[in-house]
Amino acid sequence: RKRKSVRGCVVGPDLATLSLVLLKKGAEEIPGLTDDSKPRRLGPKRASNIRKLFALEKKDDVRNFVVRRDTGKKKKAPKIQR
């Protein structure tokens, strides 16, 4: 049995899936992976991260900029922390 190591992790033929992150995009597209962009499902929940995302100041009301998601009948938003 041949074991290969990928940055400290043990990789073998018995593993079904690998969790990988693309660091650099090549010249061509990989079908199903880099040819389409999927937006994030959820936005930030903490107030300081919402300010950082939308480049807001301290005096701006963060509640107006919460990322809401559509669930059919109504739109849902997370409870903002801090």
Side-chain angles (χ1 to χ4, degrees):
R1 174 168 87 126
K2 184 179 179 186
R3 277 190 160 181
K4 298 177 183 176
S5 68
V6 179
R7 208 155 224 231
C9 303
V10 176
V11 178
D14 55 337
L15 296 177
T17 59
L18 289 175
S19 178
L20 302 173
V21 177
L22 292 176
L23 296 178
K24 190 174 180 184
K25 193 173 176 183
E28 296 183 12
E29 301 283 338
I30 301 172
L33 191 64
T34 59
D35 54 354
D36 60 339
S37 63
K38 294 175 83 175
R40 277 205 214 148
R41 188 173 161 266
L42 301 175
K45 188 173 178 178
R46 187 172 290 179
S48 61
N49 291 338
I50 295 172
R51 284 191 192 98
K52 189 173 17 172
L53 178 68
F54 293 107
L56 302 175
E57 295 179 4
K58 194 82 170 166
K59 63 181 179 182
D60 293 327
D61 192 14
V62 178
R63 291 174 289 187
N64 300 333
F65 294 91
V66 176
V67 178
R68 301 177 184 276
R69 58 187 173 94
D70 194 22
T71 57
K73 295 180 183 174
K74 61 181 181 177
K75 291 188 168 240
K76 284 190 165 185
K79 289 188 177 170
I80 302 168
Q81 294 183 345
R82 300 183 194 171

